[in-house]
Amino acid sequence: MTKIKYFLIVVCSLALVGCFVPSKIQTMIDNPTSNEINVTIDGTEHVIPPVSKIAYSFEFGKHTLVYNQETLNILVKPNRKNELNIINPTLNNYVIMNFYFIDEKMKPADYGMLLMSKKSSMTTVSIMYDGKVKEIELPLSVTNDLFIDQSEYWWKYDLDKPVPEKITIRDSTKFSTIKKIYREAEFWKIAPEYVEELDDYDIPLDRVRFVERTPELNKLPTFSIPDIALNSIACEQGRNDIQAKLNNWQQILTLTGSDFSEGYKDFKSTIIDANTEAFKNCDGYSEALNDIADALESISDLNFVILQE
């Protein structure tokens, strides 16, 4: 009898997991500057002290974000990976840096693999010092995106989490690479010790900075379902179907939480998995459907997008 009860509990638990629909995402809003900043989300103001961050939970759906008297309409949605996001309203630079740990028993013959790995991580970055701009190669990435997505850069150690002195390396590997994200000012403090490639350049490290790429928030790229010229679809049935899908998208934008999550998933399914057999003789229908599908695919890996108004 005990076994039967246990089995029922397991089945019910699995059923609950299967029915779970995500409704929100946890993120961080960071302030890397030396002054406090004010960020307003959906009409509520949040004060972020200098060089610090706050945790914020966004329900899926449409939101407003205001910083420095600029207002953005943003869409918060599920994605394939659901990794951590850092919101960067000041559009300051952040550095994602590679750290290499080697096995103490590593043989000289294995160093070639390490050098190949380091070479593959090198990127060209623009730096500025004494009014000069110079391009150099370093084993790191620099970004000033408004939404910095962990699934794009794959850092393991967050802003306030230090990199350990040692890590455990599997027996099957000779070395291991991990990444950490830094605010730019904090990066330059540790760079002389950890970025040996800087020795190849004549750079005054006390005065160098990455080139600032600080556009206005309102000039950042936006997302929208493309405008469809319905008169380019040859048949009335096709025009009506596409118009119904466009109307459905506008309705989804009014939803929040798990309702949005379910609605968004269903909408993608009606577009990506659409049965076009009934419209095979309707010129222009497949092209219109593909335009919508391409737009949705372009944001599949993103949790946050700026909506075009």
Side-chain angles (χ1 to χ4, degrees), residues 119-253:
K119 185 176 181 180
S120 68
S121 69
M122 301 290 279
T123 60
T124 301
V125 294
S126 298
I127 60 171
M128 177 184 294
Y129 59 92
D130 299 337
K132 303 174 185 177
V133 175
K134 186 174 184 178
E135 290 191 340
I136 62 175
E137 286 194 337
L138 295 175
L140 50 80
S141 301
V142 180
T143 179
N144 76 324
D145 291 345
L146 173 60
F147 306 115
I148 304 175
D149 191 341
Q150 189 176 23
S151 66
E152 179 178 356
Y153 295 100
W154 293 110
W155 70 80
K156 181 175 182 178
Y157 293 91
D158 195 13
L159 291 171
D160 299 324
K161 188 175 182 180
V163 176
E165 292 295 325
K166 293 183 178 181
I167 65 171
T168 300
I169 299 177
R170 297 194 305 270
D171 292 339
S172 59
T173 61
K174 305 299 181 182
F175 64 91
S176 183
T177 306
I178 60 174
K179 296 183 178 183
K180 174 175 168 55
I181 186 168
Y182 288 95
R183 302 175 181 100
E184 182 179 359
E186 294 169 346
F187 165 77
W188 287 114
K189 292 177 182 177
I190 61 95
E193 180 179 358
Y194 291 103
V195 189
E196 60 183 20
E197 289 79 6
L198 287 170
D199 296 338
D200 299 333
Y201 303 96
D202 183 18
I203 299 172
L205 294 181
D206 59 330
R207 301 192 301 277
V208 68
R209 290 292 180 269
F210 292 109
V211 172
E212 293 184 0
R213 301 168 298 161
T214 312
E216 298 174 13
L217 287 174
N218 287 321
K219 293 182 179 179
L220 293 175
T222 59
F223 169 82
S224 68
I225 293 296
D227 291 330
I228 304 296
L230 293 176
N231 57 7
S232 67
I233 301 173
C235 65
E236 182 178 3
Q237 184 183 5
R239 291 192 294 272
N240 291 341
D241 185 77
I242 293 297
Q243 183 63 69
K245 286 177 168 56
L246 296 176
N247 292 342
N248 187 21
W249 172 250
Q250 293 303 319
Q251 174 63 26
I252 289 168
L253 291 180

